[in-house]
Structures are given as C-alpha cells and as structure tokens.
Amino acid sequence: MKKITLLFIGLCLLFSCSKDKSNVEIPEEKACNVVSFSTAIFKKVEIVYDNMGRVTEYIKQDPTYLKTALSYEKNSIKAIYSTIIEGKPQVHGTYGYEVDNQGRITSSTLDGYSRYKYEYNAEGYLSRVTGNEVDIHKMKFDYANGNITAIDINRIDGATTIENDNLKPYVPFSFAITDVLEGIMHDADIALYESGFFGKLPKNRFLKIKNYPGDGKKEVTISYKEDLDGKVVLVNNGFYESALGYECKD
C-alpha cells in the first residue's frame, strides 16, 4: 500500500496565506520546500516546483517509475499520470481540478468523468469529500484548534482518530495523512493537498494515529528527527521511515 507518503505526504507546504499567481491563488512560498522523501515502497520520491512555488512534477522511482505532471490555468489544474513502459512514456490518466477564487479545489475529474466534490468548514479547512452520491461521504474530517482529530472514510470499524503535537508545526510530505487516505488520494491529490489547494493545512504535526487503516495495526506512533535548523529530516511511524530532503531559498 502507499504509505504515509501518498497522502495526508509530503501529506509546511500544505496551507495558510495566499496570493494571486496566474489567476489561481496558492499559499505564499516557504523558505524551504520538500524536494524528496522516501517510502516503504518507493526508495525515492522527487518533487519539482515552478518559480511560483507550485508543484509541477511528483515523481516516484525505484522499483518503478511513476510521474505526475501538473499544470496550472485560470481557476483549474491538470495532472497527467504516466509511467515508462519499454522506454516509452505511457499515460494512465488525466486528473482535472476546478479551483475557486480562494484558491481551493472544489471538484475533480478523471479522464473527463466526475470524480469528487470538496467542501470546507468556516475556518477554511477541508471538511468533506463526496462522490457522485453526494449524501455519502468518501472522507469526513473533524478538527479542534486547527488540527485534524478524526478522519472518517466509511470503514466498517469506524473513524481513524489523530493525536497531535500542539507545540510543533505540521510537516508536509511526512506521509501521515496519506497513510490514512490510501486508495482515496492519488499522487496529484497529495501534491496539491500538501501545497495548500485543499484549504488550510493542519496547524500541528501528528503524534498518534488510532484505528490505523493498514498492516493490522490499531495504533501508530510517529516520531520526527530535526536538523540543527529545526527542519524535520526523518519521520518514522514504527515500521518504516521517510527521509525528507529540502531546497531552501535565502
């Protein structure tokens, strides 16, 4: 399965202030961007940004090569998902996103077909994701003090709950959210979530995930290692770890 890499990766790129960039509002650039990390399956994931701080390529490598290329237009985003087969690029799907005037994704498509719709709470956080059946949520998020406290993805054993470190900031592309949302979030969703296009990012980093949705574990504790500048360079969830690489601007 895709580990806390896909997802809630990455998934502080994910969201606060915003400015108008090519008619699509996104958060202000951080001094440092995560440009690489590792997962249990992929030994290297690379992230490429344009000069506006937007993710343009999300590339997973070793054992296989999977690339998501993102482009930005007025109030819309396109993501092309491809791989290399016998030396030739093969497109597997094209994701489309509609963006409102606040820089938040409101709906998505896959190869032209309706996929998901996205709702936000009064504070600007992603609160609910629905499919074609709008009365049945695919994802539902609960918050307290700017942090995710529960994620309900309609599993028979109930919602996944989150404990947060109220003293330390959230870490984008740290695979915490994505592990919970495996099978629902695609690579493009991760890149855009962690970049702030799905509303505000959580305020603080995850400490524990209870009712964990994978590997038969009911509770996962997440630890973080920081460098001398305070950047998180290693994230461990008890059964694998991710090393984060950065590109910083003066």
Side-chain angles (χ1 to χ4, degrees):
M1 71 181 255
K2 298 179 180 178
K3 296 296 180 185
I4 304 180
T5 277
L6 289 182
L7 225 119
F8 277 11
I9 235 164
L11 26 127
C12 304
L13 298 171
L14 303 186
F15 331 131
S16 52
C17 301
S18 62
K19 62 183 179 182
D20 188 2
K21 295 181 178 178
S22 296
N23 296 309
V24 175
E25 295 188 7
I26 69 172
E28 296 283 354
E29 292 180 56
K30 303 294 188 297
C32 296
N33 286 327
V34 175
V35 295
S36 65
F37 58 87
S38 55
T39 77
I41 299 175
F42 291 92
K43 296 180 181 178
K44 187 173 186 180
V45 180
E46 293 183 335
I47 306 167
V48 179
Y49 301 84
D50 65 12
N51 58 9
M52 295 181 181
R54 303 174 301 193
V55 175
T56 56
E57 294 183 355
Y58 185 94
I59 304 168
K60 298 192 294 190
Q61 303 178 58
D62 195 0
T64 58
Y65 179 93
L66 300 170
K67 176 180 176 179
T68 300
L70 298 99
S71 59
Y72 302 81
E73 300 292 342
K74 182 179 180 180
N75 297 116
S76 67
I77 302 169
K78 181 168 70 173
I80 298 175
Y81 180 61
S82 64
T83 188
I84 302 294
I85 299 177
E86 296 180 351
K88 298 180 180 180
Q90 302 288 327
V91 174
H92 290 296
T94 299
Y95 293 80
Y97 300 88
E98 294 297 318
V99 183
D100 66 16
N101 291 329
Q102 298 182 61
R104 304 179 305 194
I105 291 171
T106 57
S107 64
S108 65
T109 60
L110 174 57
D111 294 332
Y113 293 95
S114 178
R115 183 171 171 247
Y116 297 138
K117 290 180 173 58
Y118 308 89
E119 300 173 11
Y120 301 87
N121 63 19
E123 288 74 39
Y125 293 99
L126 180 65
S127 60
R128 193 167 179 263
V129 180
T130 60
N132 292 326
E133 299 179 69
V134 295
D135 294 334
I136 302 175
H137 66 266
K138 297 288 185 180
M139 295 181 265
K140 182 176 177 293
F141 300 81
D142 292 333
Y143 296 85
N145 301 316
N147 288 314
I148 297 172
T149 56
I151 305 168
D152 185 351
I153 57 175
N154 272 326
R155 291 170 52 215
I156 194 170
D157 54 348
T160 294
T161 58
I162 311 294
E163 289 186 13
N164 300 278
D165 182 341
N166 294 323
L167 300 177
K168 293 285 189 175
Y170 178 79
V171 184
F173 296 100
S174 61
F175 64 61
I177 288 177
T178 53
D179 228 32
V180 178
L181 300 183
E182 183 217 2
I184 299 176
M185 292 190 82
H186 185 266
D187 292 357
D189 301 321
I190 298 161
L192 293 168
Y193 179 90
E194 302 286 23
S195 300
F197 281 102
F198 285 105
K200 292 181 180 179
L201 288 171
K203 182 179 179 181
N204 299 112
R205 65 189 60 168
F206 293 7
L207 280 182
K208 289 185 179 180
I209 301 175
K210 297 182 178 180
N211 197 15
Y212 184 74
D215 295 335
K217 295 192 175 185
K218 285 299 180 182
E219 182 173 308
V220 169
T221 299
I222 303 171
S223 61
Y224 303 82
K225 181 180 179 180
E226 299 179 351
D227 64 11
L228 295 177
D229 295 323
K231 297 191 301 298
V232 171
V233 294
L234 196 68
V235 185
N236 191 303
N237 65 1
F239 55 91
Y240 82 94
E241 62 184 21
S242 175
L244 278 64
Y246 293 86
E247 183 178 87
C248 299
K249 295 183 179 181
D250 296 330

